Amino acid sequence: MIPATRFRAGRRSVPSGEDAEFIGSAAASATSVTLPEHQAGDFLLIVALTTFASSGSVQPTLPAGWTQVRADTGGISSYGKATIGYRIAASGAEASGTWTNANTVIAVVCRGVTGIGATSYANAGNVGATPLARAAATVNASSLVLQVAHAGDWYVQATDIAAPSTSPATDLLAHTHTGALTRTEVWDSGGPVGGTTITASSQAITWSPNTDYGTRSWMTWIIELTM
Protein backbone atom coordinates (compact mmCIF):
# COMPACT_ATOMS: atom_id res chain seq x y z
CA MET A 1 0.00 0.00 0.00
CA ILE A 2 1.31 3.47 -0.87
CA PRO A 3 1.12 5.75 2.19
CA ALA A 4 -1.09 8.83 2.07
CA THR A 5 1.86 10.98 3.08
CA ARG A 6 5.54 10.08 2.86
CA PHE A 7 8.45 12.25 3.94
CA ARG A 8 12.09 11.44 3.48
CA ALA A 9 13.51 10.39 6.84
CA GLY A 10 15.87 12.82 8.51
CA ARG A 11 17.68 15.85 7.12
CA ARG A 12 19.60 15.65 3.86
CA SER A 13 22.51 18.07 3.88
CA VAL A 14 24.67 19.09 0.97
CA PRO A 15 28.29 17.91 0.90
CA SER A 16 30.73 19.32 3.43
CA GLY A 17 31.85 22.83 2.61
CA GLU A 18 28.58 23.95 1.03
CA ASP A 19 26.30 26.39 2.78
CA ALA A 20 22.77 25.41 1.76
CA GLU A 21 20.67 22.40 2.67
CA PHE A 22 17.18 20.96 2.66
CA ILE A 23 15.92 20.90 6.26
CA GLY A 24 12.45 19.33 6.08
CA SER A 25 9.08 19.07 4.38
CA ALA A 26 5.42 18.70 5.37
CA ALA A 27 2.00 18.31 3.72
CA ALA A 28 -1.64 18.60 4.74
CA SER A 29 -5.02 18.05 3.10
CA ALA A 30 -6.14 21.49 4.22
CA THR A 31 -5.72 25.23 3.64
CA SER A 32 -2.71 25.42 5.97
CA VAL A 33 0.14 23.18 7.11
CA THR A 34 2.31 22.88 10.21
CA LEU A 35 5.76 23.98 9.10
CA PRO A 36 8.73 21.64 9.63
CA GLU A 37 11.29 22.56 12.28
CA HIS A 38 13.02 25.81 11.29
CA GLN A 39 14.93 28.79 12.67
CA ALA A 40 15.26 32.50 11.92
CA GLY A 41 16.74 33.05 8.47
CA ASP A 42 15.49 29.77 6.99
CA PHE A 43 13.80 29.80 3.60
CA LEU A 44 10.16 28.68 3.69
CA LEU A 45 8.42 27.57 0.48
CA ILE A 46 4.70 26.80 0.19
CA VAL A 47 2.88 25.20 -2.74
CA ALA A 48 -0.91 25.43 -2.37
CA LEU A 49 -2.94 23.20 -4.70
CA THR A 50 -6.55 22.44 -5.56
CA THR A 51 -8.56 19.50 -6.82
CA PHE A 52 -8.86 19.07 -10.60
CA ALA A 53 -12.66 18.93 -10.42
CA SER A 54 -14.75 21.92 -11.51
CA SER A 55 -16.41 22.26 -8.10
CA GLY A 56 -14.22 23.87 -5.48
CA SER A 57 -11.35 24.70 -7.84
CA VAL A 58 -10.61 28.36 -7.14
CA GLN A 59 -7.13 29.93 -7.14
CA PRO A 60 -5.58 29.58 -3.66
CA THR A 61 -4.96 32.94 -2.03
CA LEU A 62 -1.55 34.20 -0.91
CA PRO A 63 -1.47 35.00 2.84
CA ALA A 64 -0.03 38.27 4.06
CA GLY A 65 3.74 38.18 4.52
CA TRP A 66 4.40 35.72 1.68
CA THR A 67 5.96 36.61 -1.70
CA GLN A 68 4.26 35.07 -4.72
CA VAL A 69 6.40 32.95 -7.04
CA ARG A 70 3.72 31.68 -9.41
CA ALA A 71 -0.05 31.31 -9.79
CA ASP A 72 -0.94 28.66 -12.37
CA THR A 73 -3.98 26.93 -13.80
CA GLY A 74 -4.34 23.53 -15.44
CA GLY A 75 -4.69 22.78 -19.13
CA ILE A 76 -7.73 21.99 -21.28
CA SER A 77 -10.24 19.74 -19.44
CA SER A 78 -8.44 20.49 -16.17
CA TYR A 79 -9.59 22.80 -13.39
CA GLY A 80 -6.46 22.42 -11.25
CA LYS A 81 -4.92 25.55 -9.77
CA ALA A 82 -1.80 26.29 -7.75
CA THR A 83 -0.25 29.22 -5.90
CA ILE A 84 3.42 29.13 -4.88
CA GLY A 85 4.96 31.52 -2.37
CA TYR A 86 7.93 31.94 -0.04
CA ARG A 87 9.18 33.92 2.92
CA ILE A 88 12.30 34.12 5.07
CA ALA A 89 11.58 32.95 8.62
CA ALA A 90 11.84 35.68 11.25
CA SER A 91 11.86 33.12 14.07
CA GLY A 92 11.65 29.42 14.81
CA ALA A 93 7.89 29.62 15.29
CA GLU A 94 6.52 30.70 11.91
CA ALA A 95 3.06 29.70 10.65
CA SER A 96 2.00 28.86 7.11
CA GLY A 97 -0.99 31.16 7.17
CA THR A 98 -4.24 30.20 5.44
CA TRP A 99 -4.11 29.54 1.72
CA THR A 100 -7.85 29.91 1.14
CA ASN A 101 -9.32 27.62 -1.57
CA ALA A 102 -6.44 25.11 -1.38
CA ASN A 103 -7.10 21.38 -0.87
CA THR A 104 -3.45 20.43 -0.37
CA VAL A 105 -0.67 22.57 1.09
CA ILE A 106 2.97 21.46 1.06
CA ALA A 107 5.90 23.16 2.77
CA VAL A 108 9.65 22.87 2.24
CA VAL A 109 12.26 24.39 4.56
CA CYS A 110 15.82 25.14 3.40
CA ARG A 111 18.79 26.74 5.12
CA GLY A 112 21.26 28.97 3.30
CA VAL A 113 18.76 29.80 0.53
CA THR A 114 17.86 33.44 -0.12
CA GLY A 115 15.45 33.42 -3.05
CA ILE A 116 13.92 31.91 -6.17
CA GLY A 117 15.74 31.62 -9.48
CA ALA A 118 14.33 30.02 -12.61
CA THR A 119 11.02 28.17 -12.67
CA SER A 120 9.37 26.06 -15.35
CA TYR A 121 5.80 24.80 -15.56
CA ALA A 122 4.02 22.16 -17.63
CA ASN A 123 0.46 20.81 -17.46
CA ALA A 124 -2.00 18.63 -19.32
CA GLY A 125 -5.67 17.65 -19.07
CA ASN A 126 -7.55 14.63 -20.38
CA VAL A 127 -4.30 12.65 -20.43
CA GLY A 128 -5.61 9.08 -20.04
CA ALA A 129 -2.57 6.86 -19.40
CA THR A 130 -0.10 9.39 -20.84
CA PRO A 131 2.88 10.09 -18.54
CA LEU A 132 3.58 13.42 -16.91
CA ALA A 133 6.12 15.41 -18.96
CA ARG A 134 8.43 17.65 -16.93
CA ALA A 135 9.56 20.82 -18.69
CA ALA A 136 13.27 21.64 -18.95
CA ALA A 137 14.85 24.61 -17.17
CA THR A 138 18.16 26.45 -17.15
CA VAL A 139 19.58 26.99 -13.65
CA ASN A 140 22.82 27.79 -11.84
CA ALA A 141 24.96 24.73 -11.08
CA SER A 142 25.35 25.87 -7.46
CA SER A 143 21.59 26.08 -6.80
CA LEU A 144 19.30 23.67 -5.02
CA VAL A 145 16.42 22.56 -7.27
CA LEU A 146 12.98 21.06 -6.61
CA GLN A 147 10.43 19.34 -8.82
CA VAL A 148 6.81 19.43 -7.65
CA ALA A 149 4.22 17.22 -9.39
CA HIS A 150 0.44 17.18 -8.83
CA ALA A 151 -1.98 14.77 -10.53
CA GLY A 152 -5.70 14.13 -10.17
CA ASP A 153 -9.10 13.54 -11.72
CA TRP A 154 -12.80 14.17 -11.15
CA TYR A 155 -13.52 10.48 -10.53
CA VAL A 156 -10.25 8.49 -10.42
CA GLN A 157 -7.63 8.58 -7.63
CA ALA A 158 -4.02 9.27 -8.61
CA THR A 159 -1.94 7.01 -6.34
CA ASP A 160 1.67 7.45 -7.46
CA ILE A 161 3.90 9.52 -9.75
CA ALA A 162 7.12 7.90 -10.91
CA ALA A 163 10.37 9.60 -9.93
CA PRO A 164 12.15 11.58 -12.64
CA SER A 165 15.07 9.98 -14.44
CA THR A 166 17.43 12.91 -13.84
CA SER A 167 18.02 15.41 -11.01
CA PRO A 168 16.15 16.68 -9.11
CA ALA A 169 15.18 13.06 -8.41
CA THR A 170 15.66 12.48 -4.66
CA ASP A 171 12.38 11.70 -2.85
CA LEU A 172 11.41 14.54 -0.52
CA LEU A 173 7.65 14.22 -0.04
CA ALA A 174 4.60 12.31 -1.30
CA HIS A 175 1.02 13.05 -0.30
CA THR A 176 -2.30 11.49 -1.33
CA HIS A 177 -5.54 13.42 -0.79
CA THR A 178 -8.35 10.87 -1.16
CA GLY A 179 -11.09 13.47 -0.80
CA ALA A 180 -9.72 15.57 -3.67
CA LEU A 181 -8.53 12.49 -5.67
CA THR A 182 -5.04 13.98 -5.99
CA ARG A 183 -1.45 12.84 -5.55
CA THR A 184 1.37 15.32 -4.92
CA GLU A 185 5.09 14.46 -4.94
CA VAL A 186 8.27 16.48 -4.50
CA TRP A 187 11.85 15.59 -5.46
CA ASP A 188 14.99 17.57 -4.69
CA SER A 189 18.53 17.76 -6.03
CA GLY A 190 20.05 16.55 -2.74
CA GLY A 191 22.44 19.50 -2.79
CA PRO A 192 23.78 21.81 -5.52
CA VAL A 193 22.38 20.44 -8.76
CA GLY A 194 25.83 20.48 -10.37
CA GLY A 195 24.75 21.40 -13.90
CA THR A 196 22.99 24.25 -15.66
CA THR A 197 20.30 22.25 -17.47
CA ILE A 198 17.35 20.49 -15.85
CA THR A 199 16.27 18.08 -18.56
CA ALA A 200 12.72 17.14 -19.49
CA SER A 201 11.48 13.91 -17.90
CA SER A 202 8.64 11.48 -18.68
CA GLN A 203 7.04 10.16 -15.46
CA ALA A 204 4.27 7.56 -15.37
CA ILE A 205 1.23 8.23 -13.18
CA THR A 206 -0.53 5.34 -11.43
CA TRP A 207 -4.33 5.61 -11.16
CA SER A 208 -6.88 3.60 -9.21
CA PRO A 209 -8.73 1.02 -11.38
CA ASN A 210 -11.84 3.12 -11.94
CA THR A 211 -13.47 4.07 -15.23
CA ASP A 212 -11.61 6.88 -16.99
CA TYR A 213 -14.09 9.57 -18.01
CA GLY A 214 -11.45 11.66 -19.72
CA THR A 215 -10.50 14.13 -17.00
CA ARG A 216 -7.16 12.81 -15.72
CA SER A 217 -4.81 15.77 -15.37
CA TRP A 218 -1.40 16.82 -14.07
CA MET A 219 0.71 19.90 -13.29
CA THR A 220 4.45 20.03 -12.60
CA TRP A 221 7.06 22.65 -11.74
CA ILE A 222 10.83 23.03 -11.56
CA ILE A 223 11.83 25.54 -8.87
CA GLU A 224 15.39 26.83 -8.49
CA LEU A 225 16.43 27.90 -4.97
CA THR A 226 19.30 30.39 -5.02
CA MET A 227 21.97 31.34 -2.49
Side-chain angles (χ1 to χ4, degrees):
M1 177 181 295
I2 299 172
T5 303
R6 181 181 73 242
F7 304 108
R8 188 179 52 211
R11 176 190 298 179
R12 182 178 179 84
S13 300
V14 300
S16 177
E18 302 292 346
D19 60 356
E21 59 185 340
F22 293 104
I23 298 299
S25 60
S29 299
T31 57
S32 62
V33 63
T34 300
L35 296 175
E37 181 180 351
H38 58 277
Q39 64 186 35
D42 283 352
F43 184 87
L44 312 176
L45 180 75
I46 294 281
V47 183
L49 303 145
T50 71
T51 176
F52 287 91
S54 58
S55 59
S57 183
V58 179
Q59 194 74 43
T61 60
L62 185 81
W66 292 81
T67 298
Q68 183 169 297
V69 177
R70 301 187 62 103
D72 293 304
T73 59
I76 297 172
S77 301
S78 167
Y79 290 88
K81 293 179 174 61
T83 301
I84 303 173
Y86 77 91
R87 68 185 297 175
I88 303 299
S91 71
E94 300 296 307
S96 71
T98 300
W99 299 69
T100 303
N101 304 320
N103 296 107
T104 296
V105 177
I106 65 172
V108 177
V109 175
C110 300
R111 192 157 295 154
V113 170
T114 59
I116 298 288
T119 64
S120 69
Y121 171 59
N123 69 83
N126 192 16
V127 297
T130 303
L132 175 150
R134 180 176 86 183
T138 300
V139 299
N140 294 307
S142 61
S143 294
L144 307 182
V145 181
L146 295 171
Q147 180 188 348
V148 179
H150 184 58
D153 186 83
W154 295 22
Y155 307 103
V156 183
Q157 177 72 57
T159 60
D160 188 61
I161 304 170
S165 56
T166 58
S167 187
T170 302
D171 288 341
L172 182 63
L173 177 150
H175 180 75
T176 299
H177 188 330
T178 56
L181 299 178
T182 57
R183 175 76 169 183
T184 308
E185 302 206 28
V186 183
W187 300 272
D188 69 59
S189 55
V193 69
T196 59
T197 300
I198 304 300
T199 59
S201 180
S202 177
Q203 298 163 239
I205 303 171
T206 302
W207 303 90
S208 61
N210 297 64
T211 301
D212 176 13
Y213 291 97
T215 55
R216 298 181 184 184
S217 304
W218 55 261
M219 311 166 79
T220 188
W221 299 262
I222 291 293
I223 304 171
E224 179 187 9
L225 309 176
T226 59
M227 293 164 267

